[in-house]
Amino acid sequence: MNEEREVKTDGDMKLYRIGELAKAAGVSERTIDYYTKLGLIKPEERSLKNYRLYNDETLNRLERINQMKQEKYSLEEIRQTLIKWNSVAGEEHVTDKLTSLEMHMQRLEREVNELQPLLGQLKPVQARKLLTGLLPQSAACIEALKYLLEHSSMM
């Protein structure tokens, strides 16, 4: 097999060299090197010519990292979160779902925290009118989020 090909296939698993991974993830090769040095990602193996080879899970991980960076997480916060997610489940599919759900919950938590001061300034009539316009499912989700936020310090 020629290692200069764009993507090496090892059984069913695709392996990418740094340039290919960077292009697929929409980041620079320098970013791949930096994330590797920080331990955010790691190569699956090395080629005969000593190229670092990364798998599809690394591509998924880079997407998670980019999402978290857009959410204004620091690289240390991202590293700690990735460590936590990896310890929760070894099953890729479960980890992906948990990652997505947790990121969504964190985004909602930030939005709720941004809204709290505004909601506190509303007059009771305004608040009631606002709440009656919500769907029952939305109101239930808001109550559940409120409960989770209030009790998250206990977890």
Side-chain angles (χ1 to χ4, degrees):
M1 177 179 278
N2 182 359
E3 286 194 2
E4 299 301 316
R5 284 184 29 190
E6 189 169 314
V7 177
K8 177 187 171 202
T9 305
D10 183 19
D12 289 288
M13 182 173 54
K14 290 181 183 177
L15 296 175
Y16 304 89
R17 290 196 339 231
I18 290 176
E20 294 134 11
L21 181 66
K23 185 176 180 181
V27 297
S28 69
E29 290 182 32
R30 221 173 175 174
T31 299
I32 301 293
D33 281 334
Y34 186 58
Y35 288 175
T36 302
K37 285 179 182 140
L38 290 177
L40 295 174
I41 59 174
K42 63 180 181 182
E44 180 70 20
E45 62 184 71
R46 288 205 176 250
S47 71
L48 295 174
K49 293 184 180 181
N50 209 27
Y51 290 121
R52 286 175 282 175
L53 300 173
Y54 298 86
N55 62 18
D56 284 326
E57 176 55 30
T58 305
L59 190 55
N60 293 336
R61 194 173 178 100
L62 284 168
E63 289 172 6
R64 289 184 211 133
I65 292 168
N66 285 334
Q67 287 174 328
M68 292 176 73
K69 281 181 64 181
Q70 289 175 358
E71 294 289 324
K72 307 295 186 221
Y73 286 92
S74 71
L75 287 176
E76 179 56 27
E77 289 171 319
I78 291 170
R79 192 177 72 72
Q80 290 299 321
T81 302
L82 291 172
I83 288 169
K84 183 175 72 173
W85 288 337
N86 284 344
S87 68
V88 171
E91 186 79 27
E92 246 179 70
H93 181 70
V94 173
T95 302
D96 286 345
K97 290 290 184 186
L98 288 172
T99 299
S100 176
L101 182 59
E102 184 166 348
M103 288 177 67
H104 190 69
M105 290 294 292
Q106 289 171 349
R107 193 169 30 255
L108 288 172
E109 181 179 350
R110 275 196 219 109
E111 290 175 11
V112 166
N113 287 335
E114 289 172 8
L115 278 175
Q116 268 181 327
L118 298 172
L119 293 174
Q121 295 172 4
L122 292 176
K123 295 177 183 170
V125 173
Q126 292 172 315
R128 201 170 19 260
K129 184 177 181 183
L130 182 68
L131 290 175
T132 56
L134 294 175
L135 293 173
Q137 297 90 338
S138 298
C141 284
I142 290 170
E143 286 301 315
L145 274 174
K146 213 166 104 179
Y147 178 82
L148 287 171
L149 290 172
E150 291 168 359
H151 294 86
S152 65
S153 61
M154 294 179 199
M155 294 181 186

